[in-house]
Amino acid sequence: MPSTTHDDLDERIELLDSWVETRRQIACLEAEASSLLARRMRLGRADGDEHSHHRDSIYRSMIAEYSAAGRIAQGSIEYAFTDAAFLEKGHPHVQQAFRAGIVSAAHVREIVRAAGVVHEAVNNGRADADALQRYDVVAVTVAEKETPARTKALLTGAAAVLAGSTTTARHARAASERTVSVRPVGDGLAVLTAVLPDYLAAAVIDRLTQLARAVIAARADREPVLEPMDDGDSPLYPDDIAHDSASRDDHAIFGDGTFTTDPTTDPTTGPAAGPTVEQVPADTRTIDQVRADLLMDLLLAAEPSAENGSGLDNIRGRIHVTVAATTLSGCDDRPAELDGHGPLHPDVARDLAGRMPGWSRLFLDPTGLVVETDSYSPTEAMRRHLRARDQHCRFPGCRMPVHRCQIDHTFDHAKSGRTAIHNLAHLCAGHHALKHPDIADAHRWTAIQLPDGAIDWTSPLGRTYRDDAKRRVMFV
């Protein structure tokens, strides 16, 4: 393999720096565009106040014009206007970071939407006015280090704490909004949308993924199973029946009371090279296509079709839930945690626990970090600890849940790395491969796990990216 020269390395570093700077400039321009929408929103509201009978028409006209001018769907433009107005009204710290290009438009979208419960609590007098300011500071701190998806998950819990809103109340209110809808997207396709409780939605997509992987693992060219041609007691091809060669048809098969043409022989050309049995074509569907087909099977036929293989009915969706012992026993209604997704209604957690054959007890330190599990088997205890700590792949930004990840020795076991909590972490197959010793040094990543569970990843260019171990409780 050709070695990487010093000049090549400098070029790669320069390209990375240029890309990061370009993304920062894009964020700055997105912030400017958001400010323009906020200013237009103020003018629209002023027009609506002046002509109150036409307020709705004025608003719809504004949305339609920007949608047409920007060649953007009206729903997307409406969201952009709403986000811009909320950002300008109650999030000066986020707005400042946005204008500086520190956070992206995708981060701002998640920050503003997660803040909805805080705005509602302040407006209703359930939270102090400075709750929004505290949320603002937390939001920027999180968004500077995390992807938009992780930012959303972390800020959902922080917003609930600041709003003084209990998981029980919010989930009870949200449950009434569950729905299924469909809309056409053209070319014979439509989007089927199901708004479900998150623990059920997580289990649905997990089960579909397991089913799809089972189908893909078993698929291959298969010959059809042909029904017997003779329903009688005698075999179709008896070995002990002799026929007069002078009087028999060379292309006929005679049995006891049967007569048929040999399917492997063409009477006009003689014996064929082999059986002309039609084969089932290979299954070339992607995993997304298989998931979609299985969803239709499950909804329309109640179970996967026989062609998809055996054993699929035994696959169930998997989720991981952490709940306090006091909540499990009914002593309090503290929210449980749906690992990798966010808070879970305590009644749902208790119901799920009652359906399981057993569960693991976890011990938390004062900061909320899981430090020990109650088990006689040290190896399994470490696994349970790591599942509770990691929740997903520990590569920066990756959200692959732990049950689809591999437990990796951060410092290679073959080089005396210890099998201990501070040297183990979940990695998905793709990110695990990045640090595999078989990869050339010029392309291999390295990782160092710190005492608090954070992992510093160093790229082939020498850049370091940190993934922090998340606490179960966030104090703001």
Side-chain angles (χ1 to χ4, degrees), residues 283-447:
D283 185 354
T284 59
R285 294 174 295 172
T286 65
I287 190 169
D288 284 332
Q289 292 169 341
V290 175
R291 272 196 292 242
D293 293 344
L294 286 168
L295 177 63
M296 289 185 289
D297 279 344
L298 291 166
L299 292 177
L300 299 177
E303 60 183 4
S305 56
E307 287 77 9
N308 289 330
S310 61
L312 299 185
D313 289 337
N314 296 323
I315 295 178
R316 296 293 181 266
R318 296 169 298 185
I319 56 175
H320 293 277
V321 175
T322 301
V323 57
T326 52
T327 306
L328 195 62
S329 61
C331 297
D332 59 51
D333 281 331
R334 293 165 55 190
E337 180 81 10
L338 179 61
D339 290 359
H341 295 273
L344 183 66
H345 195 294
D347 287 344
V348 173
R350 284 190 282 261
D351 180 60
L352 292 172
R355 299 172 185 272
M356 297 297 104
W359 54 85
S360 303
R361 184 167 55 157
L362 307 178
F363 296 87
L364 282 67
D365 68 10
T367 67
L369 179 66
V370 177
V371 296
E372 185 182 350
T373 59
D374 186 19
S375 172
Y376 289 105
S377 173
T379 301
E380 182 58 24
M382 286 189 289
R383 289 178 180 273
R384 291 173 180 173
H385 177 102
L386 291 166
R387 286 198 296 266
R389 184 197 71 182
D390 293 345
Q391 302 184 43
H392 44 61
C393 171
R394 293 298 308 282
F395 189 85
C398 185
R399 296 276 295 172
M400 185 68 72
V402 291
H403 59 266
R404 297 183 196 162
C405 294
Q406 305 158 349
I407 294 181
D408 170 65
H409 287 76
T410 308
F411 182 70
D412 194 354
H413 185 264
K415 298 179 180 179
S416 71
R418 297 173 58 190
T419 305
I421 292 298
H422 61 268
N423 191 47
L424 297 173
H426 284 88
L427 298 179
C428 68
H431 290 131
H432 192 177
L434 291 180
K435 61 188 291 291
H436 198 276
D438 290 345
I439 297 180
D441 292 343
H443 306 289
R444 185 169 64 245
W445 288 65
T446 59

